[in-house]
């Protein structure tokens, strides 16, 4: 009796079948380019197949290591090909992916096999190409290429530096986390279990505890300042997270107003 290999079936469901459903994205010829894969010392690794394509305005890049050994290297320039006039020419990877020449742009793309997104400066891709690390018989399929520009609300340049080449499930989620970093830090300082326990021990005894109330007031003030700064600069999905934290702090303040040490707690926040 034969039994299905559940691991193999699951791998097909996860990796192969999604690609088959998108096969048109990899099968056109007008913008198809092959690339040399350079390892250390400027040596071309002939076991790595790398090509880009573009269909309906969407670029993709496929890299496959056809050998039972680990490898890593760079793709920067395509293999020579004949253009419409019959002349042998080459293109850069940046041109093959239809990236701009903007020095302030960042390229975001997704590896649909690993399920993570990456961010790279467009200028770096034009200058150096793209570095890829592959295990034995491993492959990456990069899609959803798009360009973004840093703003106060979305500091992509800071995120790119922070990630230092690492992939994450969502670049947009990570850039919002980075934007909210100061708010999250101040919220934790004001609302962590230790801080609240420190404060409620005093309130439960009905004693003033001026120093403790003062310390909490300072933490709450820094949080409100961070929230106010964010609300003044951002109007995005991330605002909901900030408002939720602000609401939580307001609830604590309401509790303090009802506590035995109300005369001191009411001074925690400005009106």
């Amino acid at each position: 009796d034969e039994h299905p290999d559940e691991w193999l079936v699951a791998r097909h469901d996860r990796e192969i079948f999604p690609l088959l459903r998108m096969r048109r994205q990899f099968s056109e010829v007008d913008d198809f380019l092959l690339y040399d894969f350079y390892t250390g010392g400027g040596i071309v690794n002939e076991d790595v197949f790398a090509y880009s394509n573009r269909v309906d305005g969407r670029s993709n890049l496929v890299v496959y290591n056809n050998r039972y050994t680990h490898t890593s290297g760079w793709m920067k320039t395509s293999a020579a090909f004949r253009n419409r006039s019959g002349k042998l020419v080459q293109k850069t990877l940046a041109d093959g992916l239809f990236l701009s020449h903007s020095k302030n742009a960042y390229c975001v793309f997704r590896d649909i096999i690993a399920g993570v997104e990456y961010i790279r400066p467009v200028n770096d891709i034009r200058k150096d190409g793209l570095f890829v690390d592959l295990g034995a018989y491993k492959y990456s399929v990069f899609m959803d290429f798009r360009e973004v520009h840093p703003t106060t609300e979305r500091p992509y340049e800071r995120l790119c530096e922070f990630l230092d080449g690492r992939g994450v499930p969502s670049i947009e989620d990570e850039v919002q986390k980075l934007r909210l970093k100061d708010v999250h830090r101040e919220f934790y300082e004001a609302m962590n279990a230790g801080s609240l326990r420190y404060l409620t021990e005093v309130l439960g005894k009905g004693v003033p505890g001026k120093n403790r109330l003062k310390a909490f007031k300072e933490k709450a003030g820094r949080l409100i300042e961070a929230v106010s700064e964010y609300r003044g600069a951002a109007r995005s999905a991330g605002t909901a997270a900030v408002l939720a934290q602000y609401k939580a702090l307001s609830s604590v303040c309401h509790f303090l107003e009802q506590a035995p040490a109300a005369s001191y707690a009411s001074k925690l926040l400005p009106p």
Side-chain angles (χ1 to χ4, degrees):
D1 291 338
E2 284 194 41
H3 298 281
D5 186 329
E6 298 298 337
W7 177 86
L8 188 59
V9 172
R11 183 182 177 190
H12 274 68
D13 286 338
R14 183 178 64 253
E15 299 181 20
I16 306 301
F17 296 149
L19 293 177
L20 289 176
R21 286 191 285 269
M22 296 184 289
R23 57 188 177 274
R24 181 171 175 268
Q25 293 293 321
F26 313 101
S27 60
E28 297 296 326
V29 298
D30 289 342
D31 295 308
F32 177 87
L33 290 172
L34 280 170
Y35 298 91
D36 289 325
F37 189 86
Y38 287 91
T39 59
I43 300 173
V44 176
N45 186 339
E46 301 290 354
D47 295 316
V48 176
F49 299 94
Y51 73 86
S52 68
N53 212 333
R54 186 175 176 86
V55 178
D56 297 333
R58 298 175 60 194
S59 298
N60 61 74
L61 175 65
V62 179
V63 191
Y64 170 61
N65 178 18
N66 190 36
R67 190 169 182 176
Y68 189 63
T69 185
H70 172 270
T71 189
S72 61
W74 295 84
M75 297 162 292
K76 180 182 179 181
T77 308
S78 75
F81 65 97
R82 294 191 183 277
N83 61 15
R84 296 184 184 278
S85 63
K87 183 179 178 181
L88 281 175
V89 296
Q90 291 177 289
K91 282 189 175 182
T92 65
L93 175 64
D95 287 336
L97 297 174
F98 287 76
L99 300 181
S100 73
H101 289 268
S102 173
K103 294 184 179 180
N104 192 41
Y106 287 78
C107 179
V108 176
F109 53 96
R110 174 173 292 277
D111 183 350
I112 65 172
I113 302 301
V116 296
E117 286 188 331
Y118 298 92
I119 184 170
R120 300 285 190 277
V122 169
N123 199 44
D124 285 4
I125 297 177
R126 286 205 164 275
K127 179 182 176 183
D128 302 318
L130 189 66
F131 178 84
V132 176
D133 186 275
L134 294 168
Y137 295 115
K138 293 298 182 180
Y139 44 89
S140 290
V141 180
F142 301 116
M143 300 187 69
D144 300 333
F145 285 86
R146 66 187 187 277
E147 289 189 33
V148 297
H149 293 80
T151 63
T152 301
E153 188 174 334
R154 286 182 167 80
Y156 292 109
E157 77 286 6
R158 290 171 52 198
L159 179 62
C160 185
E161 182 179 357
F162 172 74
L163 293 177
D164 193 26
R166 292 183 294 111
V168 292
S170 170
I171 290 296
E172 290 305 314
D173 286 349
E174 291 301 319
V175 80
Q176 282 301 317
K177 289 179 183 178
L178 185 63
R179 177 69 180 85
L180 288 166
K181 182 179 178 181
D182 291 342
V183 176
H184 289 158
R185 182 183 64 250
E186 299 303 344
F187 178 79
Y188 177 78
E189 286 296 321
M191 303 293 289
N192 68 73
S195 293
L196 295 180
R197 188 182 304 112
Y198 181 80
L199 184 64
T200 55
E201 285 176 357
V202 173
L203 296 176
K205 296 176 182 178
V207 298
K210 291 183 179 180
N211 291 336
R212 297 191 180 196
L213 292 175
K214 179 181 179 182
F216 185 80
K217 178 180 178 180
E218 291 175 352
K219 293 178 180 180
R222 289 194 296 269
L223 173 59
I224 291 175
E225 183 178 345
V227 171
S228 299
E229 180 181 346
Y230 180 83
R231 293 185 68 186
R235 292 292 183 271
S236 65
T239 305
V242 179
L243 294 179
Q245 294 184 346
Y246 188 85
K247 184 177 180 181
L249 178 62
S250 297
S251 298
V252 173
C253 294
H254 177 72
F255 163 75
L256 294 175
E257 291 175 352
Q258 306 302 318
S263 60
Y264 295 96
S266 62
K267 300 178 182 180
L268 285 173
L269 295 174

